[in-house]
Amino acid sequence: MIELCPIICREGAIAILTILRDAGFETYFAGGCVRDRLLSAAPTEYDIATSARPEEIKKLFPKARSVGEAFGVMLVRSHDIMYDVATFRSDGPYSDSRHPDNIQFSTAKEDAQRRDFTINGIFEDPIANVLIDYVGGEQDLELRLVRAIGEPRERFAEDHLRMLRAIRFSSRFEFSIDIDTAEAIRELSNELEGISRERIGEEIKKMLTHPNRGVAAWELQYLGLDRIILAEESCMNAPTRLGRLTSNSTYATALAAWILDRNGSEGAIFKVAAHWREQLQLSNKVANSLEVILHIHQTLYAWESLGVAKQKRLASAVEFMNALAIIQSEDRATFIYIKRSLSTLEKTGLAPERLIDGNELIKSGVEPSSALGEILEAVYDAQLEGTVSNKEEAITLAIAIYRDLLDS
Ligand code: ATP
Ligand code: MG
């Protein structure tokens, strides 16, 4: 989930801007915070752009730290929040399709030109309460358009990741992508191959953890980027499960839903999940959750035949609710059937405390051995099913199972 920036964020940013202004430097709010406010959304962070050079920023804010020295970005603390304060700059050529070879400190107007999309290129003067818009961003916000600043092919050639950013912003705000910008993405989609897997993974994570994840996936497929980012055949199945997930679904749930959308439940989904782990640089935690969700999802279609103990064990497993959320997105009848059954199971407890433990078994005469765990699980199954309901019954059953094991 995106963390919102409280009101105090804006106050902290205004405090920094005022100090820079009072020292004679042209200074504005820039980028996402300006866009978000115009969209009546709470900004997630405030970025400040200024004519002050890093050494001048350092003089005014002695504790400022330099981040990305080469780009003239300083981190300044105010009201206990850290802000990026960046010197107006224009970027030199991008020979690695990722970073400019060099930058030059420049004017606000040039700084706007080096930004990616018109909606991200508006400056705000919060004191005079006016916008300084050199790139037509205000108009595109009205038109609800993501449009590259300048010639889209050139801008994407400079930094290929901007193609994914275009899709992320358009899905997040439910904006269209300008025709020329979209055409350029389609033409240059192959170039994404040169981008690091890590950067691609980060963008995809941002897209799929947003409630509009279905739109993002559809757009990725439509523009032919899925083929590159996932290194697999392009797919034109509509991402319906993904689109229907509840808004706060986890990244792993979204990935599982998208895998099922692209492959169907019968496809080689576990192989695909392993492949995506590499392609999207998934963390171990996300990759493990993804696999578990896919497993539980498969098992849920056999819910009826599982029996009470297995149903209860599954229902209290981590990721159960996430797997069930996918069923909800694909098969309403099965979802309702399982939900009803769950409410019955809950009445007798999904994961009650065990009536006996290993020590008690040993005290009752069961030899410590590898069979101990097996006996405990069988007794717990009986407890879940309601066939034993107190310690005595549990021990009696355990001893009976133990004797059977000895005899066999
Ligand atoms: P979010 O709310 O997702 O953080 P944002 O617009 O703040 O959106 P950031 O990635 O934080 O996006 O970048 C801040 C600003 O820097 C952008 O609004 C844009 O003006 C500029 N920017 C960021 N990445 C690029 C890029 N790859 N190419 C050109 N400009 C960029
Ligand atoms: Mg930002």
Side-chain angles (χ1 to χ4, degrees):
M1 280 266 96
I2 296 169
E3 250 186 57
L4 296 180
C5 188
I7 304 284
I8 191 158
C9 251
R10 188 168 175 86
E11 288 167 11
I14 289 179
I16 296 175
L17 175 134
T18 307
I19 292 172
L20 286 158
R21 288 266 181 101
D22 288 351
F25 299 108
E26 187 184 358
T27 306
Y28 303 116
F29 289 169
C33 63
V34 182
R35 175 201 66 216
D36 290 350
R37 244 169 78 89
L38 292 170
L39 289 171
S40 307
T44 51
E45 67 198 353
Y46 277 85
D47 290 328
I48 296 161
T50 180
S51 63
R53 303 289 174 96
E55 61 279 8
E56 293 164 330
I57 299 172
K58 184 90 185 157
K59 257 193 214 141
L60 291 170
F61 305 96
K63 288 188 185 155
R65 278 194 289 124
S66 163
V67 276
E69 183 102 51
F71 298 102
V73 183
M74 302 290 281
L75 263 185
V76 177
R77 182 191 286 273
S78 172
H79 293 49
D80 260 346
I81 301 165
M82 301 304 288
Y83 295 87
D84 276 10
V85 180
T87 308
F88 296 139
R89 66 176 205 252
S90 51
D91 294 340
Y94 285 66
S95 41
D96 65 354
S97 305
R98 177 177 172 180
H99 291 311
D101 299 345
N102 53 62
I103 59 140
Q104 266 180 346
F105 294 131
S106 65
T107 60
K109 187 171 179 183
E110 283 172 304
D111 187 77
Q113 310 295 334
R114 61 109 189 146
R115 293 173 184 271
D116 48 6
F117 304 108
T118 58
I119 57 169
N120 291 346
I122 312 170
F123 294 121
E124 178 187 348
D125 175 343
I127 308 291
N129 197 19
V130 291
L131 300 174
I132 298 91
D133 181 6
Y134 296 109
V135 293
E138 270 182 279
Q139 193 196 346
D140 285 341
L141 278 178
E142 286 284 318
L143 295 171
R144 305 175 65 79
L145 267 186
V146 174
R147 186 201 308 267
I149 293 174
E151 167 47 45
R153 283 158 195 81
E154 282 172 21
R155 300 312 308 285
F156 291 135
E158 285 171 358
D159 178 0
H160 297 135
L161 197 79
R162 289 177 187 152
M163 295 191 261
L164 292 183
R165 285 175 60 89
I167 291 171
R168 174 155 65 85
F169 291 120
S170 86
S171 58
R172 169 163 153 204
F173 301 122
E174 297 176 25
F175 280 19
S176 308
I177 300 179
D178 160 69
I179 293 186
D180 237 18
T181 301
E183 272 307 306
I185 295 176
R186 205 193 279 282
E187 278 173 39
L188 294 174
S189 59
N190 283 336
E191 307 287 328
L192 257 186
E193 249 163 296
I195 302 270
S196 81
R197 291 274 139 218
E198 202 184 342
R199 286 181 93 203
I200 292 179
E202 279 167 19
E203 278 297 320
I204 299 301
K205 181 172 182 183
K206 286 184 188 163
M207 286 184 214
L208 294 192
T209 47
H210 189 276
N212 291 345
R213 50 180 77 83
V215 179
W218 188 231
E219 198 76 16
L220 286 171
Q221 294 184 176
Y222 180 72
L223 291 173
L225 296 180
D226 60 332
R227 192 169 48 85
I228 314 293
I229 50 176
L230 302 169
E232 61 187 41
E233 291 279 297
S234 206
C235 170
M236 282 322 268
N237 296 350
T240 50
R241 294 172 181 84
L242 188 62
R244 289 192 200 128
L245 287 182
T246 46
S247 60
N248 59 353
S249 297
T250 65
Y251 184 32
T253 312
L255 290 166
W258 200 19
I259 288 181
L260 291 162
D261 281 333
R262 294 173 65 87
N263 299 277
S265 312
E266 310 298 319
I269 51 176
F270 293 100
K271 236 171 109 184
V272 176
H275 175 62
W276 283 24
R277 179 182 196 146
E278 292 301 314
Q279 293 307 312
L280 300 176
Q281 300 272 292
L282 304 182
S283 67
N284 289 342
K285 187 166 177 273
V286 169
N288 292 340
S289 299
L290 169 58
E291 211 185 307
V292 172
I293 292 170
L294 289 172
H295 269 294
I296 298 180
H297 172 268
Q298 261 185 351
T299 316
L300 282 177
Y301 276 99
W303 181 256
E304 209 176 341
S305 64
L306 291 179
V308 171
K310 282 213 176 106
Q311 284 174 344
K312 283 189 172 179
R313 281 176 185 266
L314 197 61
S316 44
V318 189
E319 306 297 352
F320 172 81
M321 291 311 287
N322 291 331
L324 187 60
I326 298 180
I327 303 268
Q328 181 178 18
S329 75
E330 66 190 356
D331 183 343
R332 251 356 241 199
T334 304
F335 170 70
I336 288 169
Y337 175 75
I338 296 174
K339 279 294 265 190
R340 287 225 172 96
S341 157
L342 275 178
S343 69
T344 311
L345 293 174
E346 272 160 8
K347 285 183 193 145
T348 48
L350 287 184
E353 224 178 283
R354 288 170 185 264
L355 291 168
I356 48 167
D357 62 19
N359 287 334
E360 283 164 311
L361 270 193
I362 293 166
K363 269 193 233 151
S364 320
V366 175
E367 293 284 325
S369 75
S370 58
L372 212 66
E374 203 182 310
I375 298 172
L376 279 174
E377 293 313 314
V379 172
Y380 193 54
D381 275 348
Q383 181 185 345
L384 292 175
E385 276 156 12
T387 48
V388 298
S389 52
N390 56 46
K391 200 180 276 270
E392 264 183 9
E393 288 172 8
I395 289 176
T396 311
L397 176 63
I399 289 171
I401 299 172
Y402 179 54
R403 295 221 171 102
D404 276 355
L405 281 176
L406 286 182
D407 293 346
S408 63

